[in-house]
Amino acid sequence: MVVSPSMIWRICGGLLVVVVIAGAWALTGPGNGPGGGSPQPTGSASGGGASPYDGTPAASFAVGAAGIAMPAPRAVKNWSVDQVSRAQQNVKAALVAGHLDPRMVVDRQVNGFLALFAEADQGDVRDTFLTGPLTGAAIRTAPGTTLAAEQPPG
């Protein structure tokens, strides 16, 4: 089964909305936020603690690909449970390749990300990615960007 680029963008966009809403709720839900008893960070990005997220709600979040959790697949219209599961695996692979893989994010190598698309669509996706915005589809740091010394594990 070949998944079209437009389907991947729609699924990625929907997952991004869910992640943002869940993250916002986790950070601003009951007991958090201004005056709500929000825990204070105890670590520092410069290595003063085990993690810069110690003492925050983010300390318990899964790291890397493990932090991208897919819902249990279920049949949807003409898609079987197995087809939905495979599509979810494809979306997760695209999210990892486009948002977490250092070859993409830091080294700006797009081939691993593009390989996830149908061969017939790779040229169009490459052209759009290299010459236009693919809002939220993938992340690359700007040339010459200096990253923090402390990088997340995973």
Side-chain angles (χ1 to χ4, degrees):
M1 181 177 107
V2 175
V3 178
S4 72
S6 63
M7 182 181 296
I8 289 178
W9 301 141
R10 284 183 280 189
I11 293 170
C12 287
L15 289 172
L16 183 60
V17 169
V18 170
V19 169
V20 168
I21 290 171
W25 182 86
L27 294 174
T28 62
N32 293 330
S38 178
Q40 298 300 309
T42 58
S44 75
S46 62
S51 166
Y53 304 108
D54 286 351
T56 72
S60 64
F61 294 174
V63 176
I68 303 173
M70 294 292 176
R74 63 181 179 83
V76 179
K77 294 190 180 183
N78 296 329
W79 290 57
S80 70
V81 172
D82 188 51
Q83 289 172 314
V84 170
S85 177
R86 285 194 313 264
Q88 288 176 318
Q89 291 168 10
N90 291 340
V91 168
K92 184 170 181 174
L95 289 170
V96 170
H99 292 260
L100 300 176
D101 188 339
R103 292 172 297 184
M104 172 69 161
V105 176
V106 179
D107 300 334
R108 303 176 56 80
Q109 298 174 6
V110 300
N111 292 340
F113 178 70
L114 291 175
L116 298 170
F117 292 88
E119 191 172 329
D121 294 326
Q122 289 179 11
D124 290 338
V125 174
R126 177 188 302 277
D127 292 346
T128 302
F129 187 69
L130 296 177
T131 61
L134 282 183
T135 309
I139 298 171
R140 295 186 303 170
T141 56
T145 299
T146 302
L147 301 178
E150 182 177 332
Q151 293 296 304

